[in-house]
Amino acid sequence: MLVFGHAGLTLGAAVVLDGVVSRVRAAPTAASEQPQRSLLRRVDLRVLLVGSLLPDLVDKPVGWLFFDCGRVFCHTLLFCLLISLGAFWVWRHSHGTWGFALAFGSFLHLILDSMWDYPSTLLWPLYGLEFKRPEDGDWVDAALQGLCTNPAVYVPEAVGLAILVGFLLVLVRRRKLQAFAGSGRFE
Ligand SMILES: [Zn+2]
């Protein structure tokens, strides 16, 4: 999956998750409690979007330079575990939620990349320290070809782009674009 697919689908997943959590919190048993703020208002969505791309932002250049492979350290469960521990540490010490946004975005990146198809990378270093080059060859060529011919590539990109454009239009229509750029919150 490429940029628009990762960023847009991660944002869409966050909106859906926010809707589910809001419904659970609005259950009758919680009616007497103080109303909770929406997740989208508590999490920096700019960081979430960075997290959605973080594994590729790191691994593409590092993999190119040192491993001849575009999915290395940041496409592993170990990376997700470490970044989640870091997020928890940040929350414990400063109550900041940006670490969770980064971890959630990165974890979803691995799911959207179907990393279970590459167990030696996903479970690195259990299968050894080396990163295996994917059999589909150069990822840039594969991505460009897939964008033109493979629905599994261009459909997620189109859906992700539609979500991003829709989110942008909502911000513009509500005159919240500047506030969002400053805070990352969907107020
Ligand atoms: Zn990736």
Side-chain angles (χ1 to χ4, degrees):
M1 192 169 291
L2 306 175
V3 174
F4 294 131
H6 278 302
L9 294 180
T10 300
L11 183 61
V15 171
V16 170
L17 181 65
D18 181 61
V20 171
V21 171
S22 297
R23 278 174 187 255
V24 171
R25 282 178 166 170
T29 52
S32 59
E33 296 177 4
Q34 289 281 330
Q36 301 276 347
R37 291 176 72 201
S38 159
L39 280 178
L40 297 183
R41 292 177 178 168
R42 296 167 65 192
V43 170
D44 189 333
L45 295 177
R46 298 169 305 176
V47 177
L48 178 71
L49 292 175
V50 171
S52 76
L53 300 172
L54 183 63
D56 282 349
L57 289 174
V58 175
D59 280 358
K60 296 308 183 196
V62 171
W64 261 342
L65 283 173
F66 301 108
F67 299 98
D68 195 24
C69 170
R71 291 170 174 165
V72 288
F73 303 108
C74 296
H75 283 74
T76 65
L77 273 183
L78 179 62
F79 172 74
C80 281
L81 178 66
L82 291 175
I83 201 171
S84 298
L85 290 173
F88 189 68
W89 186 89
V90 168
W91 180 75
R92 282 286 303 269
H93 285 80
S94 68
H95 291 283
T97 57
W98 63 266
F100 289 121
L102 204 64
F104 179 73
S106 297
F107 180 67
L108 223 55
H109 183 107
L110 268 55
I111 292 176
L112 293 172
D113 270 357
S114 307
M115 286 307 295
W116 52 84
D117 287 338
Y118 309 93
S120 64
T121 301
L122 181 66
L123 301 176
W124 183 89
L126 289 182
Y127 289 87
L129 291 176
E130 286 190 16
F131 289 102
K132 286 183 184 160
R133 195 169 193 267
E135 292 172 0
D136 48 3
D138 186 89
W139 75 270
V140 176
D141 291 341
L144 290 176
Q145 192 177 3
L147 272 178
C148 301
T149 60
N150 186 355
V153 176
Y154 64 70
V155 169
E157 292 307 307
V159 173
L161 180 60
I163 292 172
L164 291 172
V165 171
F167 185 73
L168 196 63
L169 289 176
V170 169
L171 288 174
V172 170
R173 202 172 60 196
R174 296 186 183 183
R175 301 177 190 277
K176 300 284 187 185
L177 186 57
Q178 199 170 0
F180 176 78
S183 71
R185 264 75 171 175
F186 188 71
E187 301 286 358

